[in-house]
Amino acid sequence: MKTNDTILLGHGSGGRLTNELIQNLFVRYFNNETLSGMTDSALLEIGHGAIAFTTDSFVVDPLVFPGGDIGKLAIAGTVNDLAVSGAEPLYLTAAFIIEEGFSMKLLEQIVASMADEAAKAGVQIVSGDTKVVERGKCDKLFINTSGIGRQREGAGKVASGCDIKPGDAIIVNGFIGDHGMAVMSARKQINVQAGILSDCASLNQMIDEVWIKSGGIRFMRDATRGGLGAVSSELVSGKPWGIDLFEEKIPLRQEVRGMCEVLGFDPVYVANEGKVVMVVDQQHASKALDVMRSHVLGIHAEIIGTVTTAHPGRVWMKTSVGGSRIVDLPAGEQLPRIC
Amino acid sequence: MKTNDTILLGHGSGGRLTNELIQNLFVRYFNNETLSGMTDSALLEIGHGAIAFTTDSFVVDPLVFPGGDIGKLAIAGTVNDLAVSGAEPLYLTAAFIIEEGFSMKLLEQIVASMADEAAKAGVQIVSGDTKVVERGKCDKLFINTSGIGRQREGAGKVASGCDIKPGDAIIVNGFIGDHGMAVMSARKQINVQAGILSDCASLNQMIDEVWIKSGGIRFMRDATRGGLGAVSSELVSGKPWGIDLFEEKIPLRQEVRGMCEVLGFDPVYVANEGKVVMVVDQQHASKALDVMRSHVLGIHAEIIGTVTTAHPGRVWMKTSVGGSRIVDLPAGEQLPRIC
């Protein structure tokens, strides 16, 4: 970097400092022809057909946490929003709101992390924006990513979940609650033995595999804010069917369970950043599970529940001792600024 | 609004409060089928061909200023970024970062303003995101809008400006500096007689008219941060031609000139939010000017300069008394948080 050690208000001015920042940092790391064209909008050929379009702002605190940082999160989060809508993620934008005085070195680390995750996910960052606000007017750094993807055949039905039927299986691709507890451990400086890492990851390639090799996907959503609990209770809302979740089948690390107990959280509501909840028809469920388990991001996948007509509009958690409790939409905030 | 009077952390939780906010506010005002589908991504049919994709975050201070607010600005800004790239703006996303305790009434006013400007510009807000941060962790409200548009035939050349030739005319669609000085007057609580209003407006329909009825457009850019000065000096950078600007032709309100003098700003660098700098070939320049002037947003349009080989890579401002000065890219920040 030829520029200063810290971000100045001038880096958001649209003048020379802004151009230097764009060239020396964003264009260098996000390296692609569209971005280096420096036009007001990225001009893209996406071929015929329908597209998916999504946006997400990231305000996670702290910016760097075990297993990831706000940059990795900002890429994976938007890639996942596209992927669970049944689209192939293609292009992302990245918009930064930076506090004056922010470390240029940390910004570079985060931008490098974005570039790295974008490469892994196979997407390009094609347009961006930088704003700088005065010291004390934002908390270090916020990143917005928006993304577009190419809709696959049948994506509309999968995105809306309109084909879900009683008997369908609920699959999750691995341990829940890792992201929330990793961020909490960084925030509270809790020293957990055998440290919990965020599960932050782009799921599009694993979802691709299931889509192509198994099929039968009727719905997908990434279980971010509000966790598995929020996804399942939103899903059943107003529907003529409900969901049974089997507590003993839900993958949960011992360390995460322990930390949740200590802090008073229910892991079912804790945020994930690399977990998809997939509804798959009965016939394809075990094949889908096999395909998922053969991918590095789905090794610990499990069938954790089923769609049922027994209690329409409700999610029931069946416990190992034969009890059951209702999983409702959480009212408020368990963990602010988890993403 | 059935919800609280102020924004709570829970409104960003992904739980019940978030859903209420989305339904009672965003879905109600941005009313369209895609958004009310509540899928993770908007699924859109845009037909065959290429698209334009852009993003912008808005951090303007104050949130409401004479002639507009952050909501109107957030729509017009992204619509304009698409329009100047030669695209027809179609769909926008809207992502909110809100400070805990923010007034629900003011949020509603701003969302209504976004809906209003989107309707005027003929675009739909199809996807969104809401994050809430603790009191003191952001300055009231930041909005990101991203947008996609359908590329028109020839848009690629216009976006890159690769067809610009010596002799081309530089046209601006009216008074410069209004937005910057309107925001400054609100910020400094300066009481300017005959108050200056922001020029904040979506320019896509005026640009459409010129594109269709005149043609000959070789480049466009909206003169936002850094103003006319930044746009023109960026444009000539590294090129085998330069630009002459004619000072007496540049539309400038007496009040804006006066306020710039008092505050020590050069109006050529002051931000606009409803001004396009258009490069048009000689043959089409007067027709383009006529078409522009027949549109309400271009009444005061003028040919303000010309592309020249006399000083490659440089912008010269020719003054009315026969002098001239170089217009360079501003280094730093004249007016932080102007958009």
Side-chain angles (χ1 to χ4, degrees):
Chain A
M1 301 287 306
K2 285 187 300 175
T3 46
N4 317 55
D5 291 342
T6 61
I7 289 288
L8 310 174
L9 280 175
H11 285 113
S13 67
R16 193 181 305 277
L17 282 173
T18 308
N19 283 11
E20 277 177 24
L21 186 66
I22 292 172
Q23 290 299 339
N24 294 345
L25 194 60
F26 301 127
V27 170
R28 184 154 68 93
Y29 278 96
F30 299 155
N31 179 35
N32 62 71
E33 266 185 38
T34 314
L35 188 64
S36 29
M38 298 282 289
T39 52
D40 257 353
S41 310
L43 301 183
L44 307 165
E45 291 288 343
I46 55 156
H48 195 69
I51 64 164
F53 186 22
T54 193
T55 191
D56 234 330
S57 289
F58 296 85
V59 298
V60 66
D61 172 44
L63 296 175
V64 180
F65 45 82
D69 58 43
I70 189 174
K72 182 178 182 185
L73 195 60
I75 301 300
T78 289
V79 163
N80 291 346
D81 276 350
L82 292 169
V84 298
S85 301
E88 292 171 66
L90 296 174
Y91 301 110
L92 266 55
T93 58
F96 299 82
I97 299 175
I98 315 173
E99 186 180 11
E100 180 190 9
F102 189 74
S103 154
M104 191 66 85
K105 199 174 154 206
L106 182 52
L107 182 62
E108 182 166 2
Q109 179 188 326
I110 288 165
V111 167
S113 169
M114 293 177 81
D116 185 50
E117 188 61 24
K120 274 188 200 160
V123 296
Q124 288 191 345
I125 299 162
V126 291
S127 192
D129 179 56
T130 310
K131 295 291 189 305
V132 180
V133 298
E134 310 91 321
R135 225 175 268 261
K137 298 299 184 183
C138 85
D139 192 9
K140 301 183 280 294
L141 173 68
F142 302 145
I143 301 177
N144 175 283
T145 50
S146 298
I148 55 179
R150 195 185 291 112
Q151 270 192 57
R152 291 197 194 78
E153 191 90 20
K157 284 187 173 181
V158 167
S160 69
C162 63
D163 259 3
I164 295 178
K165 287 183 180 57
D168 286 355
I170 314 289
I171 303 180
V172 71
N173 61 309
F175 295 107
I176 66 161
D178 292 5
H179 176 72
M181 289 305 107
V183 171
M184 281 308 282
S185 69
R187 201 182 289 173
K188 305 272 185 198
Q189 298 179 304
I190 295 171
N191 232 324
V192 182
Q193 227 189 348
I196 301 166
L197 299 182
S198 167
D199 60 344
C200 177
S202 298
L203 298 170
N204 54 323
Q205 283 147 3
M206 185 194 71
I207 290 172
D208 266 4
E209 299 268 305
V210 181
W211 192 283
I212 295 162
K213 294 187 184 167
S214 155
I217 301 175
R218 290 196 161 143
F219 178 80
M220 292 181 274
R221 187 153 285 184
D222 49 338
T224 57
R225 279 183 291 181
L228 173 62
V231 169
S232 6
S233 51
E234 268 182 10
L235 185 54
V236 299
S237 168
K239 297 287 164 32
W241 39 260
I243 288 177
D244 280 332
L245 293 177
F246 313 122
E247 194 168 43
E248 82 278 15
K249 299 294 283 179
I250 299 174
L252 182 63
R253 290 181 204 277
Q254 204 52 49
E255 313 88 278
V256 171
R257 184 197 306 273
M259 195 170 161
C260 280
E261 271 169 20
V262 170
L263 297 174
F265 294 122
D266 183 343
V268 85
Y269 295 119
V270 173
N272 311 280
E273 288 294 340
K275 290 296 160 328
V276 59
V277 177
M278 207 180 259
V279 182
V280 180
D281 75 51
Q282 262 176 315
Q283 290 71 25
H284 291 84
S286 81
K287 174 74 177 167
L289 187 68
D290 286 348
V291 175
M292 221 182 239
R293 284 180 173 170
S294 70
H295 191 280
V296 64
L297 296 176
I299 295 170
H300 303 285
E302 290 287 352
I303 296 177
I304 59 164
T306 182
V307 177
T308 173
T309 50
H311 39 79
R314 287 286 184 190
V315 179
W316 284 69
M317 178 75 83
K318 307 280 190 179
T319 63
S320 43
V321 291
S324 57
R325 59 183 171 97
I326 287 175
V327 177
D328 210 348
L329 196 60
E333 182 68 275
Q334 278 211 120
L335 295 166
R337 299 183 58 193
I338 206 69
C339 62
Chain B
M1 300 291 304
K2 287 186 297 176
T3 46
N4 316 57
D5 292 342
T6 60
I7 290 287
L8 310 174
L9 280 176
H11 285 113
S13 66
R16 196 181 303 280
L17 283 172
T18 307
N19 282 13
E20 278 177 23
L21 186 68
I22 293 172
Q23 290 299 339
N24 295 344
L25 194 61
F26 301 127
V27 170
R28 184 154 69 92
Y29 278 96
F30 299 155
N31 179 34
N32 64 70
E33 267 184 38
T34 314
L35 188 63
S36 30
M38 299 282 291
T39 52
D40 257 353
S41 309
L43 300 184
L44 307 165
E45 290 287 344
I46 55 156
H48 195 68
I51 65 164
F53 185 23
T54 192
T55 192
D56 233 330
S57 289
F58 296 85
V59 298
V60 66
D61 173 43
L63 296 175
V64 180
F65 44 82
D69 57 43
I70 189 173
K72 181 178 182 183
L73 194 60
I75 301 298
T78 289
V79 163
N80 291 345
D81 276 349
L82 292 169
V84 300
S85 301
E88 293 170 66
L90 295 175
Y91 301 109
L92 265 55
T93 57
F96 299 82
I97 299 174
I98 315 174
E99 187 181 9
E100 179 190 10
F102 189 73
S103 154
M104 191 67 84
K105 201 176 150 202
L106 182 52
L107 182 62
E108 183 166 1
Q109 177 188 326
I110 288 165
V111 168
S113 168
M114 294 177 80
D116 187 51
E117 188 62 24
K120 275 189 199 158
V123 296
Q124 288 191 345
I125 299 162
V126 291
S127 192
D129 179 55
T130 309
K131 293 292 189 305
V132 180
V133 298
E134 310 91 321
R135 225 174 267 265
K137 297 300 185 184
C138 86
D139 192 8
K140 300 182 282 294
L141 174 67
F142 302 146
I143 300 177
N144 176 284
T145 50
S146 298
I148 55 178
R150 195 185 290 111
Q151 271 193 56
R152 290 197 195 76
E153 192 89 19
K157 282 188 173 180
V158 166
S160 70
C162 63
D163 258 5
I164 295 177
K165 289 185 177 54
D168 286 354
I170 314 289
I171 302 181
V172 71
N173 62 309
F175 296 106
I176 65 161
D178 292 5
H179 176 72
M181 288 304 109
V183 172
M184 281 307 281
S185 69
R187 200 181 291 174
K188 304 272 185 198
Q189 298 179 305
I190 294 171
N191 231 323
V192 181
Q193 227 188 349
I196 300 165
L197 299 181
S198 166
D199 61 344
C200 177
S202 298
L203 298 170
N204 55 322
Q205 284 147 3
M206 185 193 74
I207 289 171
D208 266 2
E209 299 268 305
V210 179
W211 191 283
I212 294 161
K213 294 186 183 166
S214 155
I217 301 175
R218 289 194 162 144
F219 178 80
M220 293 182 275
R221 186 154 287 185
D222 51 337
T224 56
R225 280 182 292 183
L228 174 61
V231 170
S232 9
S233 52
E234 267 182 11
L235 186 54
V236 301
S237 167
K239 298 288 162 32
W241 39 260
I243 287 176
D244 280 332
L245 294 175
F246 314 121
E247 193 169 42
E248 81 279 12
K249 300 293 283 175
I250 298 173
L252 183 63
R253 291 181 204 276
Q254 205 53 48
E255 312 88 277
V256 172
R257 184 196 307 274
M259 194 169 160
C260 279
E261 271 169 18
V262 169
L263 297 175
F265 293 122
D266 184 342
V268 86
Y269 294 119
V270 174
N272 312 278
E273 287 293 341
K275 290 297 160 328
V276 58
V277 177
M278 207 180 258
V279 182
V280 180
D281 74 51
Q282 260 176 319
Q283 290 72 26
H284 291 83
S286 82
K287 176 72 178 168
L289 188 67
D290 286 348
V291 174
M292 221 182 240
R293 284 179 174 170
S294 70
H295 191 280
V296 64
L297 296 175
I299 295 169
H300 303 285
E302 291 286 352
I303 295 175
I304 59 163
T306 184
V307 176
T308 173
T309 50
H311 40 79
R314 286 287 185 188
V315 179
W316 285 69
M317 178 74 82
K318 306 280 190 177
T319 65
S320 44
V321 293
S324 56
R325 60 185 171 93
I326 287 175
V327 177
D328 210 347
L329 195 61
E333 183 66 275
Q334 277 211 121
L335 295 167
R337 298 183 59 192
I338 207 69
C339 60

